Every structure is written in C-alpha cells, then in structure tokens.
Amino acid sequence: MNLALLSLWLPILLSAIAVFVASSVVWMVLQYHNSDWKKLPHEEAVRAALKGVTPGSDSIPHSAHNKERADPAWQAKFAEGPVAMFTVSTHGSIKMGKQMGQWFGYCVIVSALVAYVAGTTLSAGTAGMKVFQVTATVAVLAYAGAAASQSIWFGQPWSRTTKDLLDGVIYGHITAGIFAWLWP
C-alpha cells in the first residue's frame, strides 16, 4: 500500500485532461445547461438598478445577522419578495482563458486527491474494478458532492442541480476509468 503520488502522475494528468475535454463537450456541444438561466423581465431596468454594484455575492432583502432577520420590517420584505441571492461578475469582455485555466487546475487537484486516496488504500496490482470503485467514489464526491447544497440553501432550481450532479458522475467515472486503466 501507499503508492507514491508521483508514481500516479500519468493517470492524474490524463484524467484531468479527459475531464476538461468532457466538460467542454457538455457545455459547448451538448449545451444542456443552456436552460439553467432565464431572462429577467425588465432586464434593462434591472441592469440599470445594478449599475455600480461591485462584483461579489449579494442578496435581497439583505441582512448580515440573525437579529436583523428577526426584525418585522425585514420579515415583511422577505414575505413580500422578491427574494434573491445572486452573483455580480466583473464586467467587460469574458475572460474564458482564465476560467478555463482555473477549471483545469481544479481538475488536476481533484485527480491528485483521487490519486492520494487510491494510493493510500490500494496496492500495486489491485484489480481494475476495485481501483475503479474507489477512484469513482472519490472523484464523484469531489465533482458532485457540493451540488445539492446550492438547491438546499440558496434556492437553485433542482433541475439545474440534477444536471450538475450528472456532470459530476460523468467526470467521476471518466477519472475512475483512467485510473483503473493506468493503475500500476
């Protein structure tokens, strides 16, 4: 047991590349995430109202502490609506290179963590199906594990979360397949 992480460099790198390519296919070819966002009614008025808001996460009605949420005036705003949690992004041209670089870096980190867990629990020569089982479990948890919290806590529609979970299962199984194939 305890395979050195460096001995798993090839499955780490190839699984990160494969997940990166698969996610590109999901987002640019299959495009089933296109329905995750809807156009706001009165979009121009909303854009004008948000002018000057700095990038980051915001909410309406806003409260920073439980004491504020106990205030009847805040509760009335919440009951009346709208209630929203949203992210304001940096404006200007879309910088896909930076985002894609960050995503690839995340894929490498996930694959390295998968390698760490597999390397400390499995020995060289372990049957491919066992390698697949362990690495798929870890990779699916890494890629899909937090998706449900967006619906549970922040009101993201479950239809979107289901797609995010599906993506995580796909990416996790791709990772596992490569680790099972290249396991020492």
Side-chain angles (χ1 to χ4, degrees):
M1 284 217 222
N2 198 5
L3 286 170
L5 198 59
L6 287 177
S7 70
L8 298 171
W9 71 270
L10 187 58
I12 291 170
L13 185 59
L14 288 183
S15 62
I17 291 168
V19 168
F20 183 85
V21 170
S23 69
S24 297
V25 170
V26 164
W27 284 90
M28 292 186 266
V29 177
L30 300 179
Q31 298 185 357
Y32 59 80
H33 282 282
N34 285 358
S35 62
D36 291 348
W37 294 272
K38 296 184 284 187
K39 182 178 173 83
L40 285 171
H42 314 292
E43 180 177 329
E44 292 306 312
V46 173
R47 287 184 66 236
L50 292 175
K51 273 248 192 277
V53 174
T54 57
S57 296
D58 298 283
S59 63
I60 52 173
H62 178 72
S63 65
H65 304 286
N66 287 338
K67 187 176 181 180
E68 293 173 5
R69 287 187 281 278
D71 181 340
W74 186 90
Q75 290 181 1
K77 286 181 188 178
F78 191 84
E80 179 184 303
V83 175
M85 293 179 221
F86 56 97
T87 302
V88 175
S89 299
T90 304
H91 65 278
S93 63
I94 297 172
K95 304 207 179 0
M96 288 300 290
K98 177 182 176 185
Q99 291 169 314
M100 292 178 90
Q102 290 174 337
W103 172 242
F104 181 71
Y106 180 75
C107 293
V108 170
I109 289 168
V110 168
S111 292
L113 290 171
V114 168
Y116 171 76
V117 171
T120 58
T121 59
L122 304 169
S123 58
T126 299
M129 216 38 220
K130 184 66 175 175
V131 173
F132 187 91
Q133 179 185 22
V134 170
T135 57
T137 300
V138 176
V140 168
L141 284 171
Y143 285 116
S149 66
Q150 296 300 311
S151 290
I152 293 167
W153 293 108
F154 303 111
Q156 176 174 283
W158 279 99
S159 60
R160 179 174 175 193
T161 296
T162 300
K163 291 182 239 178
D164 291 340
L165 289 167
L166 174 63
D167 294 349
V169 169
I170 291 168
Y171 305 156
H173 282 85
I174 288 170
T175 301
I178 291 172
F179 271 87
W181 170 47
L182 296 173
W183 192 253

